[in-house]
Amino acid sequence: WNYAYDTIGFYNTSTGISTTYLINTNGVYLDTFPSGYGLTSASCWNNPKYIATAGCVDVNIYLPGTTNMTSVYQFPNTNNGCGYGVIFTDLNTLVWSCYYGIYQTDIITKNTMQLVPACDAKTYLSPSYSSISNKILWNKVVETPIGSNSLNVKSTIVMMNADGSGEQEINIP
């Protein structure tokens, strides 16, 4: 969704070329963003000015429909740094996740702090933010080794405050 909730960006790689299609809420095609224009599988558009993307090297903000990109955070180790999700919690604050945990970045000052530590066995994916409750939903994935060649993978929905505190699992019947 975009900030006005009237346009949906659909990221598609089925043709072998990364393309974002823009449609209205009735499913009518509006436009296309070619690869590199901000919307990817780990991005958000819940800000009136910017699209944010957590990539494999850094966290970026874009002006929609352009390649006008600003890096707001550079991952310290690009071998394990790929972003798993990003969401604005206000006009200037991004909350995002990667291999190392959940972080918060002020896009003006670029000050970044870790909210929740993580590791390769625990990751937080695909955030969704509620400005009414000031909470974020995450898909939390925990991998536990079973023997030398297998993993037990548990995926749950968790909710936490926008500052990373108060994590609780949401029970789904």
Side-chain angles (χ1 to χ4, degrees):
W1 291 96
N2 67 345
Y3 184 77
Y5 298 104
D6 62 3
T7 304
I8 299 166
F10 176 75
Y11 180 69
N12 187 348
T13 59
S14 64
T15 64
I17 299 170
S18 302
T19 305
T20 299
Y21 299 96
L22 301 181
I23 59 174
N24 69 16
T25 55
N26 294 320
V28 176
Y29 170 82
L30 301 172
D31 200 358
T32 303
F33 288 173
S35 176
Y37 281 66
L39 284 174
T40 66
S41 57
S43 63
C44 72
W45 195 2
N46 69 323
N47 183 290
K49 188 172 181 182
Y50 299 111
I51 292 171
T53 301
C56 280
V57 177
D58 52 10
V59 177
N60 303 299
I61 54 174
Y62 290 83
L63 294 173
T66 74
T67 56
N68 186 359
M69 185 256 320
T70 302
S71 178
V72 293
Y73 182 78
Q74 184 80 29
F75 291 126
N77 178 352
T78 58
N79 293 329
N80 293 319
C82 282
Y84 300 138
V86 60
I87 198 83
F88 281 97
T89 57
D90 63 40
L91 295 178
N92 297 319
T93 305
L94 279 173
V95 173
W96 52 274
S97 65
C98 71
Y99 173 87
Y100 304 104
I102 299 173
Y103 293 81
Q104 178 180 305
T105 299
D106 181 306
I107 66 170
I108 305 300
T109 66
K110 298 185 181 178
N111 287 335
T112 298
M113 67 178 178
Q114 187 176 50
L115 301 177
V116 178
C119 60
D120 58 351
K122 177 178 75 172
T123 55
Y124 293 87
L125 313 167
S126 307
S128 180
Y129 174 70
S130 167
S131 60
I132 295 169
S133 65
N134 197 34
K135 294 188 183 284
I136 303 174
L137 291 175
W138 295 90
N139 174 12
K140 180 179 179 181
V141 177
V142 177
E143 299 172 344
T144 308
I146 303 172
S148 60
N149 294 327
S150 299
L151 286 175
N152 178 32
V153 179
K154 181 182 178 190
S155 179
T156 58
I157 303 297
V158 296
M159 181 172 56
M160 65 180 63
N161 297 318
D163 66 2
S165 66
E167 181 179 319
Q168 58 187 11
E169 186 173 325
I170 303 297
N171 292 318
I172 300 173

